[in-house]
Amino acid sequence: MRQIFAAALAATCVFAAPLTAQERLALGATNAQSSHYAYFAALAKVINDAYPDKYQASVVETGATVDNLRRMARGQLDMGLITTSALYHANEGIKTFEDGAIESPLLWAYSLAPQNVIVRQDSGVTSFDELNGVRFGPGQRGSSTEATSQDVMGTFGIEPDWVRGSNGELAAAIKDDRAIGFIKSAVGTEFDALTTDIATFTPVQVLGLSDDQVSMIQEQLPELSIVDMPGGEMENSGPYKTWGFMIGVSAKPDMDEETAYDIVAAVMADQVEQVTAFPVLDGVSLADQTLAYATSPLHPGAIRWFEENGYEVPDRLRP
């Protein structure tokens, strides 16, 4: 009797066990108050809904790009939010990552961050050279905008009298005429809310890059992208060029090809969750945007998805 009961219990246990064990995926985002955290929460849902028996994805609150890259290198995260400029530095082992390269392959990029050079119209400044020695903000203290602004201005041999602070502090300095302007990320191809607020009460002027400056950035700062902007009445400008970087998702160095392929396939198929969490993506092709503006190699699994779906992957994005 005991043998029959044991056999029945064993059979029940085998029947109740899952057919496959779910692979846990930790997604490193940023602070929970950020709209990018909401985007990563949507990603977790997209992955879990697409592969309910294969993956169990969850979001981890982190210190954003650099923290995510270092945690992925240690195997603490499977994928994470990055800026394409910082990812390039990590892959190359330069600047912040001089202590050691991190070969984190890109999966896709989702948000373009053009960097607008904004000055008060009444400052009379109409070119980059005229920023030499004047009070000007490089962007929020500690941000990627600040770091890339300093790199670009250094490349041009321009040394403003930098005004440091939070975005709010820099905006107040511009309104009070204690600084003639600052550099601020756009939302898509339009002013963000803070720059719009400044421009509503203090007419501003956008400074665009010359052809020579575009060439200098492409040659000396290949981690940055050149972005064509439409301009407009608020910008007091016709079409112009500026630099920018993408915000995207990269993988831990040893993520296997199948997992990367599955994740990219699920993300590219989703038409609802990502746009709901991050409305600026409405009408945006993640695939086209990634191929146009990314500056670091894609994961082989991502490349396989792009090629299977008819996209041509440029040589600069191949490992």
Side-chain angles (χ1 to χ4, degrees):
M1 181 64 108
R2 288 179 180 176
Q3 290 176 332
I4 294 174
F5 177 77
L9 180 61
T12 301
C13 291
V14 170
F15 178 78
L19 296 177
T20 57
Q22 290 176 307
E23 179 181 350
R24 293 180 180 273
L25 298 174
L27 282 56
T30 181
N31 68 79
Q33 288 73 44
S34 170
S35 59
H36 292 282
Y37 185 94
Y39 176 75
F40 271 73
L43 288 185
K45 187 175 189 306
V46 167
I47 295 167
N48 292 337
D49 288 351
Y51 307 101
D53 299 321
K54 192 171 184 179
Y55 302 114
Q56 183 179 354
S58 59
V59 185
V60 179
E61 184 176 9
T62 69
T65 294
V66 174
D67 186 28
N68 289 337
L69 285 163
R70 297 201 186 283
R71 290 199 199 191
M72 283 190 280
R74 295 193 295 265
Q76 297 170 340
L77 296 173
D78 296 284
M79 48 195 280
L81 175 148
I82 50 86
T83 62
T84 51
S85 54
L87 180 62
Y88 183 94
H89 298 159
N91 287 173
E92 297 294 319
I94 59 176
K95 298 186 179 179
T96 305
F97 300 91
E98 286 181 347
D99 57 336
I102 298 173
E103 295 182 4
S104 175
L106 183 67
L107 296 172
W108 73 93
Y110 66 90
S111 180
L112 179 61
Q115 304 297 290
N116 272 326
V117 183
I118 311 290
V119 297
R120 290 175 59 111
Q121 244 185 335
D122 60 13
S123 70
V125 171
T126 59
S127 71
F128 280 81
D129 289 342
E130 294 173 285
L131 293 175
N132 258 317
V134 302
R135 290 179 57 77
F136 185 77
Q140 176 158 292
R141 182 185 286 116
S143 67
S144 291
T145 291
E146 180 185 48
T148 55
S149 297
Q150 293 174 153
D151 285 346
V152 169
M153 293 299 180
T155 298
F156 296 164
I158 295 170
E159 296 184 16
D161 179 7
W162 291 121
V163 179
R164 311 284 180 174
S166 66
N167 280 330
E169 290 168 337
L170 294 176
I174 295 168
K175 291 178 180 179
D176 297 343
D177 204 14
R178 292 177 285 114
I180 71 155
F182 71 159
I183 297 174
K184 185 70 176 66
S185 293
V187 176
T189 57
E190 299 179 355
F191 279 173
D192 72 307
L194 181 65
T195 311
T196 298
D197 176 67
I198 296 170
T200 300
F201 300 99
T202 307
V204 299
Q205 169 78 53
V206 171
L207 303 183
L209 296 169
S210 68
D211 290 342
D212 286 344
Q213 289 167 336
V214 167
S215 296
M216 291 172 71
I217 290 174
Q218 291 173 330
E219 291 171 7
Q220 300 182 45
L221 298 170
E223 66 268 35
L224 300 179
S225 301
I226 300 300
V227 186
D228 290 307
M229 302 289 277
E233 184 176 347
M234 188 168 287
E235 293 90 343
N236 191 36
S237 170
Y240 63 98
K241 294 181 184 294
T242 190
W243 70 89
F245 48 81
M246 294 291 295
I247 300 170
V249 184
S250 71
K252 64 182 181 180
D254 61 348
M255 176 178 281
D256 64 90
E257 183 175 324
E258 180 184 0
T259 301
Y261 178 89
D262 287 347
I263 292 169
V264 172
V267 167
M268 296 300 172
D270 170 58
Q271 301 293 321
V272 177
E273 300 298 341
Q274 294 169 88
V275 172
T276 301
F278 206 72
V280 73
L281 294 182
D282 190 19
V284 171
S285 166
L286 293 180
D288 288 337
Q289 191 162 248
T290 299
L291 297 177
Y293 295 112
T295 54
S296 293
L298 289 163
H299 193 292
I303 291 175
R304 179 157 69 92
W305 183 90
F306 280 106
E307 291 183 336
E308 285 182 1
N309 286 273
Y311 293 94
E312 184 175 344
V313 178
D315 289 342
R316 76 175 195 282
L317 299 184
R318 295 181 180 278

